[in-house]
Amino acid sequence: MDPGVDKATGDAYWRRTSSLMWIMMAIWAIAGFGVHLFATSLNTIVILGFPLGFYMAAQGSLIIFVVSLFWFASRQNAIDEEFGVEEE
């Protein structure tokens, strides 16, 4: 943050950034562990010859990670613009 920014603005910026970080951590935990916990129950559904549990464990969680990274970058840029600390 700019040294000229007051403490209340800096605290508000950090609160928004911190809450976004915790949301991302929850998404990563659910995609990283939650999907794999239910993989065996999803194996009854078969798509293109592969059990859905196998596909979700191998590919689905990676897709969720990539999409969530783009969403995170977009949200963080919006927060940065709101508080006037965006990068060029």
Side-chain angles (χ1 to χ4, degrees):
M1 300 267 334
D2 183 14
V5 174
D6 65 346
K7 183 171 173 19
T9 303
D11 289 345
Y13 174 79
W14 177 244
R15 259 192 319 277
R16 296 279 305 274
T17 299
S18 180
S19 69
L20 179 61
M21 177 198 61
W22 285 110
I23 291 169
M24 277 299 294
M25 293 298 290
I27 291 170
W28 277 65
I30 291 167
F33 298 108
V35 169
H36 295 83
L37 289 174
F38 297 104
T40 54
S41 62
L42 292 173
N43 282 338
T44 58
I45 303 168
V46 177
I47 298 175
L48 298 174
F50 293 101
L52 182 61
F54 170 79
Y55 177 77
M56 288 303 292
Q59 300 297 325
S61 58
L62 294 175
I63 292 168
I64 292 169
F65 290 150
V66 170
V67 169
S68 65
L69 283 173
F70 281 102
W71 176 79
F72 173 80
S74 168
R75 291 298 309 138
Q76 187 61 52
N77 283 340
I79 292 170
D80 290 349
E81 288 175 6
E82 179 182 340
F83 288 92
V85 292
E86 70 273 3
E87 296 181 10
E88 294 183 22

